[in-house]
Amino acid sequence: MSTPELAYRIHGGDPVVGQITALGAKNFATKAMVAALLAETPTELSNFPPIGDVAITRDMLSAIGATVQVRGDVLAIDPASIHSSNVPTPDSGSNRIPILLLGALLHRFDEVSVPVLGGCKIGERPVDFHLDAIERFGGTVTTTEEGYVARRRTRLKGTQIKLPYPSVGATETCLFLGVLAEGRTVIANAAIEPEIIELITMLRAMGAVIFTSAGREIKIEGVERLQGTRMPILGDRIEAASWACLAGASDGDITVRGINPNNLGNFLAYFQQVGGGFELLEPDVVRFFRRARLSPAVVETDVYPGFSTDWQQPFAILLTQANGISIIHETVYENRFGYLRALNQLGANTQLTTHCLGGLPCRYSDANHEHSAIIVGATPLRADGHVITIPDLRAGLAYVIAAAIARGTSIIRGVHLLERGYGDVVPRLSRMNLKIERVNLGEVL
Ligand code: EPU
């Protein structure tokens, strides 16, 4: 008998009001799990989010022999028991983490193999920077149909790398390679997202010697060994921005706990520019609301400190409620607007173009990727039992926001994609008076 497909049924149209706590950030939690493998002793990660990507990563770590235990919101990892360098794809699926394991495990083993990568289909997402980095540290990499195999003959050696683009994942690979390599490593054009800075803090707490400086440069003095540590997972800035958009789009009032407002950077500026308001209530508590009639904006996604590509989906829903023509130019991924078509079915007025609208031409200017969106508002959204299917994780929460502001009932399919990155969505949103249920799709269609 096949497992029933779960979906969300949302009855929307009212302001969403209440308090919510941002859970630990997916894009740090899974990286911290990999970092723990560099140590000789156990690590404890607290404020751990109950999300699918963590479960996938946990299954990969267990499969190679690491001892992983969950105690409440603390995840304990003991790498001493690792016995295999052959990382399989667990039954729970795959994500972007295998490519990080390739570099991290290469200090412990002469040969490491990882499976092909999963994760959201939002562009080609090549891994050439990672593979190139491993080779610069003295390893070799073979690409097979099943995945990647890295090898080394001697201890990895520190090196100088200039990343062609400040990739988050490639910067993490370079950090994992550099901290235990012999001698000095310099990473130029590195990513400086808050989750990267947090990872550097964690690695320093484990004994790594890492210097950051202005201009995206990271210097590492390799050490012989690292020890486990205790590390709280920082609140998810992508989640927090999504709750802000929900407050603004629904004309509600949402207080988000567990978030450092500094990590929301330029999101706060754009949110205010379109008519959103916020109040800093405590060091990690921010209240979001609508302070004026919403007005349009021109937004260009970029690496940090720019407007995150992971914020554009909830912000697009907010812009459907702004009066006038808004533009979003997606410059990080070439194919991240697939979710807009379903929004038009709910009454939004959006169009895509292959041109670079907004600022300067981006890396995709000569290719045929629909990477700029035009959003004409304000359009009230309406749902009449509409069934919309989630194409990727961030689009998933954007659909929840769209359904929350749409008058009527929407059914959202493909929630497993959303739940890879967001935990306890239904109970947390129900507490803010949103009529949302997790249902068996077969029973509601
Ligand atoms: N790129 C290459 N070659 C590489 C690596 C990256 O060309 O070897 C390109 C990518 O194709 C993309 C750009 O560089 O165009 C940026 O990619 P990056 O490596 O920064 O992305 P990532 O590390 O794979 C992480 C997050 C993403 C987030 C991006 C950008 C994780 C697990 N994923 O991806 O999050 O959008 O950084 O901030 O940390 C999500 O959470 O839904 C998500 C997609």
Side-chain angles (χ1 to χ4, degrees):
M1 215 174 65
S2 59
T3 344
E5 184 186 334
L6 292 170
Y8 293 166
R9 179 165 56 194
I10 298 178
H11 191 79
D14 296 321
V16 179
V17 176
Q19 296 205 9
I20 193 163
T21 300
L23 300 182
K26 161 178 103 69
N27 289 347
F28 176 63
T30 46
K31 320 304 175 63
M33 293 172 79
V34 178
L37 306 187
L38 297 166
E40 293 177 348
T41 53
T43 284
E44 280 191 2
L45 303 169
S46 55
N47 192 31
F48 225 81
I51 57 173
D53 244 21
V54 162
I56 294 171
T57 309
R58 195 178 60 207
D59 289 348
M60 281 190 279
L61 267 47
S62 301
I64 57 169
T67 308
V68 188
Q69 288 176 321
V70 182
R71 293 187 288 269
D73 76 344
V74 174
L75 190 92
I77 301 173
D78 188 348
S81 50
I82 293 179
H83 53 68
S84 167
S85 61
N86 187 353
V87 182
T89 303
D91 291 341
S92 50
S94 188
N95 58 11
R96 306 295 301 168
I97 299 306
I99 199 69
L100 301 180
L101 290 171
L102 195 62
L105 290 172
L106 200 56
H107 296 293
R108 196 179 278 267
F109 296 98
D110 296 343
E111 182 176 309
V112 180
S113 63
V114 300
V116 282
L117 273 60
C120 293
K121 311 273 177 283
I122 50 183
E124 275 297 310
R125 307 190 81 178
V127 290
D128 49 335
F129 306 164
H130 300 253
L131 307 186
D132 185 52
I134 292 174
E135 303 215 328
R136 279 171 169 272
F137 278 89
T140 55
V141 188
T142 315
T143 304
T144 66
E145 268 185 28
E146 292 79 39
Y148 305 92
V149 184
R151 295 185 182 85
R152 67 167 170 95
R153 284 169 190 263
T154 55
R155 184 177 171 197
L156 296 173
K157 286 209 169 41
T159 185
Q160 300 211 348
I161 295 185
K162 179 165 188 204
L163 293 175
Y165 184 82
S167 148
V168 169
T171 302
E172 290 158 349
T173 280
C174 292
L175 284 167
F176 294 145
L177 289 165
V179 286
L180 285 172
E182 187 184 335
R184 178 175 303 162
T185 292
V186 180
I187 314 165
N189 204 25
I192 51 166
E193 267 66 4
E195 295 78 17
I196 296 271
I197 303 303
E198 203 73 355
L199 185 61
I200 290 175
T201 301
M202 174 174 172
L203 291 167
R204 283 172 174 155
M206 294 168 69
V209 181
I210 305 173
F211 301 91
T212 50
S213 55
R216 298 189 174 278
E217 189 175 274
I218 300 174
K219 276 202 189 91
I220 307 170
E221 297 290 345
V223 295
E224 299 260 333
R225 54 184 55 86
L226 295 172
Q227 302 305 322
T229 189
R230 289 205 171 128
M231 186 77 196
I233 306 296
L234 82 168
D236 195 320
R237 67 192 167 102
I238 313 298
E239 229 198 56
S242 305
W243 307 138
C245 292
L246 176 58
S250 73
D251 201 4
D253 191 323
I254 298 181
T255 295
V256 182
R257 303 190 155 271
I259 186 68
N260 177 349
N262 292 336
N263 293 341
L264 289 171
N266 282 326
F267 172 83
L268 296 176
Y270 280 100
F271 187 65
Q272 282 183 304
Q273 193 184 39
V274 300
F278 70 91
E279 201 183 347
L280 304 175
L281 299 180
E282 288 173 42
D284 66 345
V285 182
V286 190
R287 174 183 159 231
F288 296 99
F289 50 91
R290 190 190 285 187
R291 105 188 122 68
R293 185 168 181 253
L294 296 180
S295 51
V298 177
V299 182
E300 195 159 65
T301 66
D302 204 351
V303 296
Y304 196 83
F307 189 95
S308 167
T309 168
D310 300 324
W311 287 330
Q312 61 101 332
Q313 307 78 358
F315 206 73
I317 311 298
L318 182 64
L319 292 178
T320 65
Q321 303 309 300
N323 296 276
I325 301 173
S326 294
I327 284 167
I328 303 182
H329 181 200
E330 170 60 59
T331 76
V332 180
Y333 291 111
E334 66 270 32
N335 185 17
R336 218 174 182 182
F337 281 123
Y339 70 98
L340 287 180
R341 286 190 186 92
L343 278 191
N344 288 354
Q345 289 170 20
L346 297 183
N349 182 355
T350 74
Q351 271 186 38
L352 293 178
T353 166
T354 56
H355 296 282
C356 294
L357 297 184
L360 298 170
C362 74
R363 293 178 296 155
Y364 305 123
S365 64
D366 289 328
N368 277 320
H369 305 299
E370 291 187 319
H371 71 293
S372 290
I374 303 163
I375 301 172
V376 183
T379 49
L381 302 189
R382 265 178 243 97
D384 184 16
H386 281 78
V387 179
I388 47 181
T389 303
I390 294 176
D392 64 78
L393 193 157
R394 301 298 172 195
L397 198 62
Y399 280 180
V400 169
I401 298 172
I405 64 171
R407 255 189 208 290
T409 302
S410 317
I411 311 285
I412 301 182
R413 293 184 71 165
V415 297
H416 64 282
L417 285 174
L418 177 157
E419 291 179 356
R420 265 191 40 227
Y422 302 97
D424 298 335
V425 171
V426 171
R428 288 194 293 152
L429 286 177
S430 300
R431 282 197 286 275
M432 293 197 295
N433 287 338
L434 178 63
K435 296 184 192 76
I436 176 170
E437 305 161 87
R438 208 157 179 260
V439 292
N440 181 341
L441 186 69
E443 287 169 13
V444 293
L445 282 187

